[in-house]
C-alpha cells in the first residue's frame, strides 16, 4: 500500500510541476524557492510539534561529523533538485519518468552485479 501511495505522489508531483511551468510560465528558481520554503516550514513545525527540534540540534552539536554529513547531503539534494526541475521544465514529466526508471533499473542491476544480490524471477 505504501508503495502505491509513493508511486501516485511521485507521478502527481512531476506532472504538477510540468503544469506549473507551462500554465504560469514559472522558472526553475521560483519553483525551488517556493518548494523549499514550504518544506522548511513544514519540517520545522513537525519537529517542534513532535518535541524533536531540541534533541536534533543537540545531537548535531555533539557530533560535528554528523552535522557535516547533513550539510553535504543537503547540498547534493539541492543540486539534484535543480537538475530535476530543469529536466521537467525543458523536457516534461514523461522524459523525467523515463530517466528515473532507467536510473533505478541500472541501480538494481549494478547492485546485483557488484554485491552478488540475486534477483528472483518475480523481481525481473
Amino acid at each position: 500500500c505504501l508503495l502505491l501511495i509513493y508511486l501516485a505522489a511521485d507521478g502527481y508531483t512531476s506532472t504538477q510541476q510540468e503544469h506549473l511551468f507551462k500554465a504560469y510560465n514559472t522558472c526553475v528558481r521560483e519553483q525551488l524557492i517556493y518548494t523549499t520554503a514550504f518544506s522548511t516550514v513544514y519540517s520545522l513545525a513537525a519537529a517542534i510539534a513532535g518535541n524533536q527540534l531540541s534533541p536534533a540540534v543537540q545531537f548535531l552539536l555533539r557530533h560535528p561529523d554528523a552535522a557535516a554529513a547533513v550539510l553535504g547531503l543537503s547540498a547534493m539534494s539541492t543540486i539534484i533538485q535543480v537538475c530535476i526541475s530543469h529536466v521537467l521544465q525543458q523536457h516534461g514529466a514523461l522524459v523525467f519518468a523515463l530517466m528515473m526508471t532507467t536510473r533505478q533499473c541500472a541501480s538494481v542491476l549494478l547492485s546485483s552485479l557488484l554485491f552478488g544480490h540475486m534477483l528472483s524471477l518475480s523481481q525481473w
Side-chain angles (χ1 to χ4, degrees), residues 41-124:
V41 170
Y42 181 82
S43 297
L44 186 60
I48 291 169
N51 293 322
Q52 294 299 311
L53 183 61
S54 179
V57 170
Q58 290 172 6
F59 175 84
L60 293 174
L61 290 174
R62 282 192 317 271
H63 303 282
D65 290 345
V70 167
L71 287 175
L73 183 61
S74 296
M76 290 297 106
S77 179
T78 301
I79 292 168
I80 293 300
Q81 192 58 49
V82 169
C83 294
I84 288 171
S85 294
H86 180 74
V87 168
L88 284 168
Q89 182 185 37
Q90 296 297 314
H91 305 288
L94 183 60
V95 171
F96 174 69
L98 180 62
M99 288 173 60
M100 291 298 99
T101 302
T102 303
R103 181 195 65 81
Q104 289 171 343
C105 288
S107 177
V108 168
L109 290 174
L110 187 62
S111 175
S112 178
L113 292 172
L114 290 177
F115 302 109
H117 298 150
M118 300 304 296
L119 299 176
S120 68
L121 186 59
S122 64
Q123 290 174 310
W124 284 100

Side-chain angles (χ1 to χ4, degrees), residues 7-77:
L7 291 172
D10 190 47
Y12 175 77
T13 301
S14 58
T15 55
Q16 188 62 27
Q17 283 179 297
E18 180 183 12
H19 170 73
L20 290 172
F21 279 127
K22 290 179 180 177
Y24 299 102
N25 199 27
T26 60
C27 68
V28 170
R29 184 180 62 244
E30 290 171 330
Q31 282 200 17
L32 289 176
I33 288 171
Y34 295 132
T35 301
T36 303
F38 176 80
S39 297
T40 301
V41 170
Y42 181 82
S43 297
L44 186 60
I48 291 169
N51 293 322
Q52 294 299 311
L53 183 61
S54 179
V57 170
Q58 290 172 6
F59 175 84
L60 293 174
L61 290 174
R62 282 192 317 271
H63 303 282
D65 290 345
V70 167
L71 287 175
L73 183 61
S74 296
M76 290 297 106
S77 179

